[in-house]
Amino acid sequence: MSKIRFGLIGSGWRAEFYIRIAKALPEMFDLAAVMIRSKEKGEAFSAKFGVKVVNTLDELVEKEPEFVVMAIKRGIVTENLITLFERGIPVLTETPPGEDVEALHQLWDAYQKYQPKVQVAEQYFLQPLYASWYKAICDGKLGEVENINISSLHGYHGASIIRQFLRTGFENCRIYGKRYWFDVTETYGRDGMVFDGEVVKCSRDRLTMEFDNGKVAYFDFSDPAQYHSFIRTRQLTVQGTRGEIDDLTIRYLNAQNIPVTQDLRRIDLGVYGNQEWSHYAVMLGEEFLFRTPFINARFNDDEIAVASCMVKMHEYINGGEEFYGMADALQDMYICLKMDEALEHPVTVVETQTQPWAQK
């Protein structure tokens, strides 16, 4: 594979992921330049991260990236995406692509008009654990998957995993539930673990999603504790006709209908005396369910997933298939908005309607 040359728009926390990835694998990724409109801010950013910074889109295009990564504030994504569509610039954009239903429709109209080369960096299904769970589903270990209980991801990220794992496509659904509030002790901050014992209020959203094809999702997310806590963890259960995923345990029937129980085993290099430091694989018994595409790269799980998005974007614009296209991104954000609507009207059924991007 040729070196992947990309441009970057943005200077926030997520933009830094792409810079770290490019620096960690210079033989694979080539960061042409970062676009920051403010000259003063751009100069400071360039000095801090050791990257070339430009101040206009024209200057970025002059660096000849094969695609641009857009990692900017949520509220201005839609208008900037449409600008790139109009100019025919291939773009990998961070989530979500729009903030409300009107913006989603505006984006779809622009997509239909300009037919751009665009994918969305919804990365969670490419993380080692989620990819391993999905491989077990695709291998048929669970039989026909019928329900999922997911307590790990918020909003559109959760919707993406629900639709993919249940294979519901663009099916409509009925959503109902409620938001609760509970006290939790802080354990984690920007500088690592905290020990002051501060107790804060934390929301917990519980929603049921019933799809037209009979499949059901139970959504459970606690914000902000679930992403940043040592005493609130992630949980996932997926049940099918022949087995279930119970977080790190998978139970299934083999070809002779003998029940098998196995645990996922993560293989990381550089622990307990090993000289390297990187993730290598996730195994179930003697099977590899996931192996990193970036051997010996010092990436965390999210960096593996984001780097995979860039590789898949390179493949897509060179004749490959979509990996997370505009229709899927819009559908997941649309479901997220309907989830929010259900939370605003506790224990009231909210129904989704077929949107333009879902029509065949």
Side-chain angles (χ1 to χ4, degrees), residues 254-300:
N254 68 12
Q256 292 74 42
N257 291 319
I258 298 171
V260 178
T261 299
Q262 293 180 314
D263 291 334
L264 294 175
R265 185 166 65 91
R266 183 184 178 100
I267 302 174
D268 293 317
L269 307 179
V271 294
Y272 303 126
N274 188 288
Q275 295 294 315
E276 298 87 4
W277 184 84
S278 64
H279 175 64
Y280 182 73
V282 178
M283 297 188 72
L284 183 71
E286 61 186 17
E287 301 178 62
F288 285 104
L289 292 188
F290 175 85
R291 276 191 276 194
T292 180
F294 312 107
I295 302 297
N296 294 327
R298 295 189 171 190
F299 289 163
N300 64 30

Side-chain angles (χ1 to χ4, degrees), residues 27 50 52 63 65 67 73 97 102 110 116 130 148 168 175 187 239 266 273 289 308 318 327:
E27 70 278 12
K52 184 179 293 295
K63 302 299 181 183
F67 63 88
K73 293 180 180 179
E102 181 181 358
Y130 289 95
I148 180 173
T168 56
I175 308 172
T187 61
Q239 294 182 326
R266 183 184 178 100
L289 292 188
S308 296
N318 286 282

Side-chain angles (χ1 to χ4, degrees), residues 220-338:
D220 179 359
F221 184 75
S222 186
D223 185 33
Q226 203 140 14
Y227 283 143
H228 306 289
S229 177
F230 289 97
I231 57 173
R232 294 290 187 270
T233 188
R234 154 236 77 234
Q235 296 175 332
L236 180 132
T237 303
V238 183
Q239 294 182 326
T241 56
R242 294 184 61 81
E244 73 171 11
I245 294 169
D246 178 11
D247 208 43
L248 300 182
T249 299
I250 300 181
R251 302 177 180 89
Y252 61 96
L253 298 174
N254 68 12
Q256 292 74 42
N257 291 319
I258 298 171
V260 178
T261 299
Q262 293 180 314
D263 291 334
L264 294 175
R265 185 166 65 91
R266 183 184 178 100
I267 302 174
D268 293 317
L269 307 179
V271 294
Y272 303 126
N274 188 288
Q275 295 294 315
E276 298 87 4
W277 184 84
S278 64
H279 175 64
Y280 182 73
V282 178
M283 297 188 72
L284 183 71
E286 61 186 17
E287 301 178 62
F288 285 104
L289 292 188
F290 175 85
R291 276 191 276 194
T292 180
F294 312 107
I295 302 297
N296 294 327
R298 295 189 171 190
F299 289 163
N300 64 30
D301 286 10
D302 214 40
E303 289 164 343
I304 289 172
V306 171
S308 296
C309 284
M310 288 205 288
V311 171
K312 289 180 178 295
M313 180 65 183
H314 168 78
E315 293 170 348
Y316 163 67
I317 63 177
N318 286 282
E321 296 182 353
E322 291 192 330
F323 68 93
Y324 189 77
M326 187 57 62
D328 281 311
L330 297 181
Q331 183 69 9
D332 289 333
M333 187 57 190
Y334 170 66
I335 289 177
C336 174
L337 293 171
K338 302 303 280 188

Side-chain angles (χ1 to χ4, degrees), residues 9-23:
I9 301 175
S11 59
W13 174 80
R14 180 54 77 176
E16 293 176 15
F17 274 69
Y18 295 92
I19 295 171
R20 289 198 301 272
I21 289 166
K23 288 181 176 293

Side-chain angles (χ1 to χ4, degrees), residues 1 43 45 51 68-69 136 138 152 164 166 181 205 231 306 324:
M1 182 178 69
E43 289 175 349
F45 191 89
V51 295
V68 166
V69 172
C138 292
S152 59
Q164 186 178 76
L166 288 184
W181 293 89
D205 298 339
I231 57 173
V306 171
Y324 189 77

